């Protein structure tokens, strides 16, 4: 996934104008391949505590505030998430408003709200501190949220790393380059990739210096926006993009295997007879037709997803169920292929790398009947441009098989966005190293959605089917 920090000078007190600018930046970032855009601290109003104090109702928002509609719609249209930092209306039972990050998902719906936990002296006069850490999962990556002063407390990124987060998203309004430079140490000490969206212009604490950027877990800065020193021609808006694909939770991650399975005993059904409206590929060397079986609940969701596609497009199922013995063979063969190509890599690294493309047999979603490999075709069954052939490996495709890969053609990116929107709305989750792999009810689905257990475990298909 490509992630972006948006740096722009907010119009003080003009929520409508700032929301419109955010919406435009979400669209621009999506055109450049970004799957998420983060904005700076109080970007919706500008970091002007005096204005917020003078109108605590008009200058605060809730997640369903009508003034955020342009941003929600931009997220839906682009299939891109946004982290909007604003003065949040007081939660029920809370003493006052908060400095809040509203995370809007690719469908425009709220993924989570994080309220800043550590407030400066002036902020404490107006805002109430939050009481919980900010976390969310998107595109196979677990994100941590922080706002400005939060990052001065080492325990904040330390907790994020301990919670299995891969990326630390910080919204801030720092007034010096020296404060921005401290994020290199934060990244290095925590082992997290850090994305900072920093404000610009004159705020309550002085000038926001910009310099939004991205740091790898080594502390190396790989992207940076300009430093703000005064008004410039135009609005000075800038996007800083970086690649976070190395932070994806892979199938080999212990967190996936740790998900318990409470088998629901849902049957495996033959797609070809149970759902003739779905097109099933025929070029499979599988006389028994194992590949054309799925759990009944997955099949129902695929039918729902097909109904959400634009006119002229339909799903084509390439592979569903895969017997456990075949899954083990596929995994071992691909691991051996990687071992021959990269003999210097240790066994653990090879196991992890193999799981980008083939699931380890002990947790494989295909062998549970919960996963399906599929693509989009026209109403007549003709292939459309998805960026790579289905089942292209990371090595063959130079990483373009990743769902959020950069460098895709506009047509391929649009098709992937259409596919993602329909399948996500129907309750399936994507394995982000493979744009074609979607599942429901398996361990990876449980991890991605926050479910406390998986519904489907490995299953053998009866000789005569079910």
């Amino acid at each position: 996934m490509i992630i972006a920090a948006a740096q722009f000078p907010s119009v003080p007190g003009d929520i409508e104008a700032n929301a419109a600018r955010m919406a435009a930046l979400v669209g621009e970032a999506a055109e450049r391949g970004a799957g998420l855009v983060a904005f700076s601290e109080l970007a919706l109003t500008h970091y002007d505590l005096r204005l917020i104090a003078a109108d605590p109702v008009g200058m605060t928002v809730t997640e369903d505030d009508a003034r955020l509609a342009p941003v929600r719609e931009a997220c839906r249209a682009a299939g891109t998430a946004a982290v909007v930092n604003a003065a949040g209306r007081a939660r029920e039972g809370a003493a006052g408003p908060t400095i809040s990050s509203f995370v809007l998902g690719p469908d425009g719906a709220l993924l989570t709200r994080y309220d800043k936990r550590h407030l400066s002296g002036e902020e404490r006069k107006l805002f109430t501190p939050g009481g919980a850490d900010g976390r969310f999962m998107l595109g196979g990556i677990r994100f941590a949220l922080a706002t400005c002063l939060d990052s001065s407390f080492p325990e904040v990124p330390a907790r994020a790393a301990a919670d299995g987060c891969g990326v630390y998203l910080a919204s801030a309004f720092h007034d010096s380059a020296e404060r921005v430079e401290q994020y290199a140490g934060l990244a290095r000490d925590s082992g997290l990739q850090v994305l900072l969206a920093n404000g610009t212009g004159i705020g309550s604490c002085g000038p926001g210096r910009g310099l939004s950027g991205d740091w790898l877990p080594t502390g190396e800065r790989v992207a940076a926006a300009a430093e703000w020193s005064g008004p410039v021609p135009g609005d000075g808006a800038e996007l800083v993009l970086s690649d976070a694909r190395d932070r994806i939770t892979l199938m080999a991650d212990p967190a996936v295997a740790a998900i318990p399975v409470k088998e629901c005993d849902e049957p495996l059904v033959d797609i070809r007879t149970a759902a003739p409206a779905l097109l099933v590929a025929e070029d499979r060397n599988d006389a028994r037709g194992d590949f054309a079986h799925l759990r009944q609940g997955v099949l129902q969701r695929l039918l729902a997803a097909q109904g959400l596609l634009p006119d002229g497009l339909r799903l084509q199922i390439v592979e569903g169920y895969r017997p456990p013995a075949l899954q083990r063979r596929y995994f071992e063969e691909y691991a051996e292929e990687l071992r021959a190509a990269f003999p210097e890599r240790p066994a653990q690294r090879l196991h992890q790398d193999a799981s980008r493309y083939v699931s380890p047999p002990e947790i494989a979603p295909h062998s549970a009947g919960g996963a399906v490999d599929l693509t989009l075709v026209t109403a007549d069954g003709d292939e459309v441009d998805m960026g790579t052939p289905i089942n292209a490996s990371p090595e063959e495709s130079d990483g373009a098989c990743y769902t959020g890969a950069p460098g895709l053609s506009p047509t391929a990116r649009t098709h992937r966005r259409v596919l993602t929107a329909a399948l996500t709305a129907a309750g399936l989750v994507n394995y982000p190293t493979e744009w074609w792999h979607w599942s429901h009810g398996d361990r990876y689905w449980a991890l991605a959605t926050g479910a406390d257990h998986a519904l489907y475990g490995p299953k053998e298909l009866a000789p005569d089917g079910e």
Side-chain angles (χ1 to χ4, degrees):
M1 176 190 289
I2 304 301
I3 56 177
Q7 179 174 298
F8 77 102
S10 302
V11 180
D14 195 336
I15 290 178
E16 289 82 359
N18 294 326
R21 192 67 186 98
M22 288 178 173
L25 286 166
V26 168
E28 181 182 337
E31 289 177 359
R32 295 171 62 182
L36 177 142
V37 186
F39 294 94
S40 64
E41 185 176 21
L42 294 177
L44 195 63
T45 57
H46 189 56
Y47 191 90
D48 190 326
L49 304 185
R50 176 187 55 82
L51 283 175
I52 299 170
D55 186 5
V57 175
M59 291 291 105
T60 57
V61 297
T62 59
E63 57 266 23
D64 58 355
D65 195 296
R67 293 170 293 180
L68 286 175
V71 188
R72 286 193 291 268
E73 179 53 38
C75 290
R76 276 194 294 269
T80 297
V83 181
V84 178
N85 195 280
R89 194 79 48 82
R91 295 178 186 260
E92 185 175 352
T98 53
I99 298 177
S100 302
S101 286
F102 296 94
V103 183
L104 305 178
D107 60 355
L110 184 75
L111 286 177
T112 193
R113 168 180 170 172
Y114 166 69
D115 299 331
K116 183 178 181 179
R117 301 191 69 175
H118 301 89
L119 303 175
S120 68
E122 289 302 309
E123 290 170 350
R124 284 196 295 270
K125 297 176 183 178
L126 178 59
F127 295 106
T128 298
D133 291 329
R135 305 282 187 265
F136 68 97
M137 191 93 168
L138 180 71
I141 299 171
R142 187 163 170 80
F143 290 89
L145 294 162
T147 305
C148 208
L149 189 60
D150 287 333
S151 299
S152 297
F153 294 81
E155 62 268 26
V156 174
R159 283 199 304 269
D163 285 349
C165 295
V167 177
Y168 184 91
L169 298 176
S171 299
F173 198 87
H174 292 310
D175 60 0
S176 70
E178 291 73 23
R179 293 189 68 184
V180 172
E181 289 168 1
Q182 293 174 2
Y183 285 88
L186 186 156
R188 188 170 52 249
D189 293 344
S190 65
L192 297 168
Q193 182 168 342
V194 176
L195 182 75
L196 168 69
N198 195 41
T200 62
I202 303 299
S204 294
C205 61
R209 288 301 184 189
L211 293 168
S212 300
D214 184 86
W215 292 261
L216 296 180
T218 59
E220 177 190 0
R221 186 166 188 164
V222 291
E227 181 173 6
W228 188 88
S229 58
V232 296
D235 70 357
E238 198 170 348
L239 285 168
V240 172
L241 284 80
S242 56
D243 195 337
R245 283 179 292 175
D246 285 346
R247 311 281 85 77
I248 289 172
T249 301
L250 297 175
M251 287 286 184
D253 194 293
V256 180
I259 299 289
V261 177
K262 294 183 180 180
E263 176 59 59
C264 67
D265 292 324
E266 200 173 276
L268 285 163
V269 296
D270 192 325
I271 308 165
R272 297 166 296 186
T273 55
L278 292 173
L279 181 64
V280 179
E282 297 178 356
D283 54 343
R284 302 291 301 182
N285 184 22
D286 179 1
R288 199 170 75 140
D290 290 349
F291 79 99
H293 287 74
L294 284 170
R295 297 281 189 144
Q296 191 170 47
V298 179
L299 187 57
Q300 291 168 349
R301 284 168 174 80
L302 291 176
L303 288 168
Q306 180 154 279
L308 297 173
L309 292 174
D311 290 343
L313 291 175
R314 62 188 301 196
L315 300 176
Q316 182 180 58
I317 311 303
V318 175
E319 185 177 17
Y321 174 73
R322 188 181 295 158
L326 182 60
Q327 180 70 32
R328 180 171 298 279
R329 194 189 93 201
Y330 282 174
F331 185 81
E332 291 175 351
E333 287 177 350
Y334 184 53
E336 185 57 39
E337 181 182 322
L338 291 177
R339 189 175 295 110
F342 307 102
E344 74 284 358
R345 291 185 184 176
Q348 184 177 0
R349 168 72 186 279
L350 289 168
H351 185 85
Q352 175 180 294
D353 288 350
S355 76
R356 294 176 304 163
Y357 183 57
V358 184
S359 299
E362 60 273 14
I363 55 93
H366 279 289
S367 297
V372 59
D373 294 342
L374 48 70
T375 188
L376 284 178
V377 295
T378 67
D380 295 327
D382 296 327
E383 294 182 0
V384 301
D385 181 10
M386 300 299 295
T388 74
I390 198 167
N391 287 327
S393 73
E395 292 75 29
E396 292 168 339
S397 67
D398 194 25
C401 58
Y402 282 68
T403 308
L408 298 174
S409 70
T411 300
R413 190 164 60 242
T414 296
H415 285 148
R416 290 192 188 185
R417 185 167 66 239
V418 167
L419 183 68
T420 295
L423 292 167
T424 301
L428 290 95
V429 302
N430 174 240
Y431 187 45
T433 66
E434 301 174 337
W435 59 260
W436 56 84
H437 179 107
W438 292 81
S439 67
H440 173 85
D442 63 298
R443 283 181 163 123
Y444 201 86
W445 163 85
L447 183 74
T449 61
D452 59 7
H453 66 273
L455 306 175
Y456 311 140
K459 193 174 180 69
E460 292 287 354
L461 183 64
D464 57 350
E466 289 191 22

